[in-house]
Amino acid sequence: MKTLLFTGGGGAGSEALNRLFGSTYRVHFADADIEARPATVASTQWHSIPMAAAPSFIPRLQELCRELRVDVLVPGVDEELPRVARERGGFDCDVLLPPVEFIETHLDKLASNSALRAADLPAPLTEQIGQRSKIKFPCIAKPRSGRGSRGVAIVRSEEELSAHIVISRRPAEDFILQELLEGQEYTVMMSADRNGILRAVVPVRVGVKRGITLRAQTDNDAAVVAACRAIHDSAPVPGCYNIQLIKDANGAVKPFEINPRISTTACLALAAGVDFVAAYLSAEAAPASLAQFRDDIGLKRSWHNEFVYQR
């Protein structure tokens, strides 16, 4: 039985990953917040690591992988990704991440959009605030880097844009503007093996989102799958990543964000029948078709209140 270690263990998907993977793998989680352990994750599965910016982050994570005899490390926090990808040769295990160049491109939302356009792939019109010439209000204002929809807002005028920047407490040059896309939002798990061969594409139709997806359902939409395959074919990479997109009323698909890691909805893909770890480790020849999955499984996230009595 192989051993997995997920970082960002306090995330919304960890409880489900532990439950769904528990009979197939030995599962461990690490987080910089030692108090973030989900109630259903045993203390023996829970490990403390430094913040990604700390000099001790990589040495401690490498040490932990050796101690636990980890077979596959799955980093899940944006700030960790470039550091782990650059140092992946120093880990005595597989690291389920795309290459550092892919990570750095798509952690920068402006560079990500430019890469899609350079590959002649659909993408929303996107401009830096100081160089805006085509985007009109209403539009989306978002930081060039960030996660969980932090600092993202619909702005309808210059006044709203200025106010949003002030409230965000970030300099204006940190922001980009993006055309407002209307339609059905999808979050899509892309799963490739070590050689970059695409093994699975799992579209998830978003119902309710509050930073993370709270209500959603798997949806094997042909247009969404085709658009995501085209993105992967333009730059095949190993590991898992996530594509967020809008499908409009006319059936056009535009990706507005690519996250170079697993997302919190990876657990829904797993529940639908796609083991992204097994797909990554697969040594079989390129498949004739993508992995099948159940496309009628819904995700409903609710809060669990845990009471800890201190003495």
Side-chain angles (χ1 to χ4, degrees):
M1 182 179 286
K2 293 188 180 298
T3 299
L4 313 181
L5 175 61
F6 292 87
T7 68
S14 295
E15 172 277 327
L17 291 173
N18 184 48
R19 175 161 40 90
L20 296 169
F21 267 147
S23 62
T24 308
Y25 305 100
R26 286 183 291 269
V27 186
H28 291 266
F29 299 91
D31 201 291
D33 181 359
I34 195 65
E35 299 296 330
R37 176 171 64 90
T40 54
V41 172
S43 59
T44 53
Q45 298 172 264
W46 185 253
H47 310 276
S48 176
I49 55 174
M51 298 289 285
S56 59
F57 170 71
I58 289 294
R60 172 55 187 151
L61 190 56
Q62 290 173 334
E63 177 186 39
L64 185 59
C65 287
R66 289 192 294 270
E67 289 175 357
L68 298 174
R69 297 185 179 180
V70 170
D71 295 290
V72 183
L73 170 65
V74 189
V77 180
D78 283 0
E79 292 82 0
E80 299 172 351
L81 306 183
R83 292 199 66 190
V84 174
R86 290 190 200 101
E87 301 291 340
R88 70 195 312 156
F91 286 88
D92 298 328
C93 61
D94 278 292
V95 180
L96 204 159
L97 267 186
V100 66
E101 297 81 10
F102 183 90
I103 290 169
E104 290 178 339
T105 294
H106 293 293
L107 286 179
D108 181 334
K109 295 177 176 59
L110 183 61
S112 178
N113 183 272
S114 298
L116 291 172
R117 290 181 170 273
D120 292 324
L121 293 167
L125 182 62
T126 302
E127 295 176 324
Q128 292 179 275
I129 285 182
Q131 299 175 6
R132 177 163 58 94
S133 61
K134 297 179 181 178
I135 293 179
K136 301 184 182 305
F137 297 108
C139 63
I140 300 288
K142 63 169 67 172
R144 285 184 63 167
S145 62
R147 53 191 166 90
S149 299
R150 297 168 188 167
V152 179
I154 298 174
V155 292
R156 296 173 174 80
S157 65
E158 291 285 357
E159 292 76 17
E160 284 192 15
L161 175 58
S162 297
H164 178 65
I165 292 171
V166 170
I167 291 170
S168 298
R169 298 183 178 179
R170 299 178 68 155
E173 56 267 25
D174 283 1
F175 285 84
I176 58 174
L177 297 179
Q178 201 165 70
E179 69 171 298
L180 180 61
L181 302 175
E182 296 186 355
Q184 176 61 56
E185 181 176 346
Y186 284 81
T187 178
V188 185
M189 189 188 78
M190 307 292 289
S191 175
D193 64 21
R194 291 186 182 106
N195 299 313
I197 297 171
L198 193 60
R199 298 282 173 171
V201 175
V202 185
V204 171
R205 189 173 68 249
V206 176
V208 178
K209 187 175 180 180
R210 299 287 186 271
I212 63 169
T213 301
L214 300 178
R215 305 284 187 274
Q217 183 172 320
T218 52
D219 180 7
N220 197 5
D221 184 284
V224 171
V225 172
C228 291
R229 289 196 74 157
I231 291 171
H232 188 83
D233 290 345
S234 72
V237 293
C240 280
Y241 58 100
N242 167 259
I243 299 175
Q244 293 175 268
L245 58 85
I246 296 290
K247 181 181 178 184
D248 69 19
N250 297 316
V253 175
K254 282 189 178 181
F256 61 87
E257 201 160 302
I258 296 177
N259 302 303
R261 52 167 171 74
I262 65 168
S263 76
T264 63
T265 53
C267 60
L268 180 54
L270 180 58
V274 174
D275 180 340
F276 52 88
V277 172
Y280 178 72
L281 297 175
S282 177
E284 299 175 3
S289 60
L290 295 174
Q292 297 297 304
F293 62 91
R294 187 170 172 176
D295 68 353
D296 60 351
I297 294 184
L299 172 68
K300 185 175 81 168
R301 285 192 165 120
S302 56
W303 299 112
H304 172 81
N305 295 287
E306 182 183 359
F307 300 99
V308 181
Y309 297 94
Q310 308 285 349
R311 289 191 179 185

